Amino acid sequence: QVQLVESGGGAVQAGGSLRLSCAASGSIFSINVMGWYRQAPGKQRELVATITSGGRTNYADSVKGRFTISRDNAKNTVYLQMNSLDPEDTAVYYCAAYRRGSALVNYWGQGTQVTVSS
């Protein structure tokens, strides 16, 4: 019912910045929480940040103070501003959406590669 389209990934030097965007379409009325996950080669997919429709946020400890999640409900778009990037941030980043009342991810984006070189 929901489609998530991501953009903004790329390759940057350590200390640089990127902003990821995720545009949602379809039955967006069913979505409450949105977020970003990432997965590096050989590692499990991990939660990066979440944001509710009311703007409450949650961050993984590894990105606190460097990443900012935000959303524009009028545009049905969620963003991830990534500053002070480190090679450890290299991963495929996935947009995610949760239906109201769900504790599990219901919809995934296609993923966008972020590569940070030292």
Side-chain angles (χ1 to χ4, degrees):
Q1 289 187 317
V2 174
Q3 296 79 46
L4 305 174
V5 180
E6 300 160 338
S7 61
V12 297
Q13 291 274 79
S17 298
L18 285 173
R19 189 175 80 151
L20 307 182
S21 299
C22 174
S25 61
S27 301
I28 55 176
F29 62 88
S30 66
I31 299 301
N32 181 20
V33 176
M34 297 188 69
W36 292 92
Y37 287 73
R38 66 185 182 185
Q39 187 167 24
K43 295 185 177 181
Q44 293 182 315
R45 190 172 299 186
E46 64 176 350
L47 177 67
V48 176
T50 59
I51 185 167
T52 69
S53 60
R56 290 187 296 138
T57 59
N58 182 59
Y59 296 93
D61 288 342
S62 59
V63 306
K64 286 180 179 177
R66 300 188 298 120
F67 291 11
T68 302
I69 188 170
S70 61
R71 66 192 292 172
D72 186 335
N73 290 327
K75 296 181 178 180
N76 301 314
T77 301
V78 63
Y79 306 93
L80 186 69
Q81 179 67 47
M82 304 184 293
N83 298 326
S84 301
L85 283 163
D86 185 272
E88 289 294 312
D89 297 315
T90 295
V92 177
Y93 284 70
Y94 297 90
C95 184
Y98 302 75
R99 289 200 297 263
R100 290 183 175 87
S102 177
L104 303 174
V105 175
N106 298 110
Y107 305 99
W108 293 98
Q110 79 282 2
T112 185
Q113 177 71 46
V114 172
T115 302
V116 185
S117 59
S118 60

